[in-house]
Amino acid sequence: MSRLGPSRFFPPPELASPEGLLAVGGSLSPERLLDAYRHGIFPWPIEGFDPVLWWSPDPRAVFEFDRFHVSRRLARTCRNTDFEITFDRDFPAVIAGCAESPGRRHNTWITPAMVEAYTRLHELGHAHSVEVWRQGRMVGGVYGVAIGGLFAAESMFSLERDASKVALVHLRNRLIARGFAIWDIQVITPHTASLGAVEIPRREYLRRLAAAIELPATFGP
């Protein structure tokens, strides 16, 4: 069992199904979302299916800061392109880009209700974005939720080659500089694996989460 204490809304993560499904239903209110992240749980809806599904998979995917892989080509791209990087300049555009980028239209878990819920979290100071711009046009970005020393990256998008990877490099640097301890990505993919993502047992994740959320890290200015 973790040291996180009981959730107000959810059963213990250890009761999740083998696929990681823990609970069905409930609102996407800020209180419920923040309680979920504090207990290693996150919503992952299926478009066209109601109600919301809540997950706590085992194993859990994370980026370890010292194992994030920046290839020579990506390092050159970060140094030599005319990308401009900003933080929290246009959260609504980033989450819209994640939901509507090519290949995701009509096939995304970022439903209108999720967009509304996470935009509200951003307005309350709990959700943040990294934007990548070229010549005044947003070409990539990533967004996620920050609680103490936890940053849970939710999604990213790219309209130009490597734009989302550049966003991740700058996100990594900011998280290190601001004292974050866990960079959660929930479920591993071939793309994140190529950047050094790893899977850890849920028990270990919950142990580290309990310590991380007590840290005085802050994403914003």
Side-chain angles (χ1 to χ4, degrees), residues 83-84 94 130-134 137-142 156-160 162-164 167:
F83 285 141
E84 177 190 1
V94 172
V130 184
E131 301 91 14
V132 181
W133 310 80
R134 188 193 294 276
R137 171 177 175 255
M138 188 184 297
V139 295
V142 58
M156 57 188 170
F157 80 101
S158 183
L159 300 180
E160 292 192 9
D162 288 341
S164 62

Side-chain angles (χ1 to χ4, degrees), residues 45-207:
I46 298 175
E47 190 173 33
F49 177 82
D50 192 32
V52 177
L53 307 179
W54 301 86
W55 304 80
S56 185
D58 187 12
R60 188 68 165 249
V62 298
F63 278 126
E64 304 286 15
F65 296 114
D66 60 352
R67 296 176 63 180
F68 185 82
H69 176 63
V70 180
S71 67
R72 291 180 180 178
R73 184 178 63 79
L74 179 56
R76 287 195 302 270
T77 298
C78 290
R79 290 194 304 267
N80 300 330
T81 66
D82 58 354
F83 285 141
E84 177 190 1
I85 311 302
T86 59
F87 300 92
D88 285 340
R89 179 185 290 183
D90 197 342
F91 182 94
V94 172
I95 194 170
C98 292
E100 300 173 2
S101 61
R104 291 188 184 174
R105 291 187 181 93
H106 311 299
N107 185 31
T108 180
W109 55 269
I110 306 175
T111 63
M114 290 283 282
V115 172
E116 180 180 356
Y118 282 81
T119 301
R120 179 58 177 153
L121 278 189
H122 172 68
E123 293 168 350
L124 293 172
H126 301 295
H128 302 278
S129 58
V130 184
E131 301 91 14
V132 181
W133 310 80
R134 188 193 294 276
Q135 299 178 349
R137 171 177 175 255
M138 188 184 297
V139 295
V142 58
Y143 77 95
V145 175
I147 302 175
L150 162 72
F151 189 87
E154 287 295 310
S155 189
M156 57 188 170
F157 80 101
S158 183
L159 300 180
E160 292 192 9
R161 181 177 182 179
D162 288 341
S164 62
K165 292 181 180 180
V166 170
L168 289 175
V169 170
H170 285 271
L171 174 59
R172 171 188 177 272
N173 294 342
R174 191 175 187 90
L175 296 179
I176 291 172
R178 298 300 180 90
F180 283 79
I182 298 181
W183 185 0
D184 174 30
I185 59 170
Q186 301 169 351
V187 178
I188 201 164
T189 68
H191 178 65
T192 56
S194 73
L195 294 168
V198 297
E199 293 180 316
I200 60 175
R202 181 173 56 213
R203 180 183 296 272
E204 178 184 347
Y205 175 82
L206 295 175
R207 177 184 60 79

